[in-house]
Amino acid sequence: GIQVEQSPPDLILQEGANSTLRCNFSDSVNNLQWFHQNPWGQLINLFYIPSGTKQNGRLSATTVATERYSLLYISSSQTTDSGVYFCAVEGRGSSNTGKLIFGQGTTLQVKP
Amino acid sequence: DAGVTQSPTHLIKTRGQHVTLRCSPISGHKSVSWYQQVLGQGPQFIFQYYEKEERGRGNFPDRFSARQFPNYSSELNVNALLLGDSALYLCASSLAWGQETQYFGPGTRLLVL
């Protein structure tokens, strides 16, 4: 099955710093989503981005489908950005339809 | 509009017992998926239902089963609970099946003693 690798596994930033999180996937995908999991376990949608670039406030994401990676950029980080960031993909083919495969996540800690 | 809702929020069971978890999708969404998240790992796919039919199953034993009702809500059943079933169980809904944004509920935390 499709493999999803995220890096780095852990990241500690000072408030105001910028960061880039990476997601590599092993095969072509129909769907790629970025999530932020808060301390209570809620998975919050950040982006649906199987290809191209999107921006939402201080966050932006780019997926280069032909090279099988996606990047999540966080600018001017705030303490509320702390948590775990997950990349999840839906592989191609009928057996993969609707099935999100998650990476192991990047744990971000933003210090005041 | 309300998001995905799940009940109960927390549950404590003992080994060998049975548990039923419930999920209501976003209004208008016809697909519901279930995921298991063990501490320190990413969520793992268990089931997906669309229009009340099972459309996908992950690598979980037959002790796990699910169904979707005519109002598109869903329940996940786990029989003969094991200690290793302790996890956060997440439900996600989407408009249709495949290539759709999935929206997650707050989860049910299950502890098996």
Side-chain angles (χ1 to χ4, degrees), chain B residues 1-112:
Chain B
D1 284 340
V4 179
T5 59
Q6 293 186 241
S7 63
T9 55
H10 295 81
L11 205 49
I12 299 175
K13 293 284 189 178
T14 56
R15 280 178 296 174
Q17 284 190 312
H18 163 271
V19 68
T20 298
L21 310 181
R22 294 178 175 84
C23 171
S24 291
I26 293 171
S27 177
H29 285 195
K30 298 182 178 181
S31 179
V32 169
S33 299
W34 288 95
Y35 293 80
Q36 180 198 64
Q37 187 177 20
V38 174
L39 194 63
Q41 297 185 15
Q44 280 201 298
F45 173 80
I46 310 175
F47 286 110
Q48 186 180 44
Y49 279 78
Y50 175 63
E51 289 285 13
K52 291 152 281 182
E53 290 188 12
E54 182 183 306
R55 300 299 182 123
R57 171 186 283 257
N59 188 23
F60 281 80
D62 292 344
R63 301 184 295 107
F64 288 76
S65 64
R67 54 180 174 166
Q68 186 177 34
F69 299 100
N71 67 353
Y72 301 107
S73 67
S74 177
E75 63 180 35
L76 174 71
N77 295 282
V78 187
N79 292 323
L81 285 167
L82 303 174
L83 297 180
D85 295 331
S86 296
L88 178 66
Y89 288 85
L90 295 162
C91 172
S93 80
S94 57
L95 275 170
W97 180 46
Q99 299 184 54
E100 294 278 351
T101 303
Q102 293 194 27
Y103 298 88
F104 282 78
T108 294
R109 289 193 184 276
L110 172 64
L111 178 61
V112 182

Side-chain angles (χ1 to χ4, degrees), chain A residues 25-38:
Chain A
F25 42 96
S26 60
D27 207 342
S28 300
V29 299
N30 281 332
N31 176 5
L32 188 147
Q33 290 185 242
W34 282 99
F35 296 93
H36 175 212
Q37 190 166 42
N38 66 22

Side-chain angles (χ1 to χ4, degrees), chain A residues 51-89:
Chain A
S51 64
T53 298
K54 290 186 177 179
Q55 181 158 7
N56 185 6
R58 296 182 296 104
L59 302 182
S60 63
T62 295
T63 297
V64 184
T66 53
E67 297 188 20
R68 299 181 184 168
Y69 73 89
S70 183
L71 302 174
L72 177 69
Y73 304 97
I74 306 174
S75 65
S76 304
S77 58
Q78 301 176 358
T79 56
T80 52
D81 294 332
S82 297
V84 184
Y85 289 80
F86 286 104
C87 165
V89 304

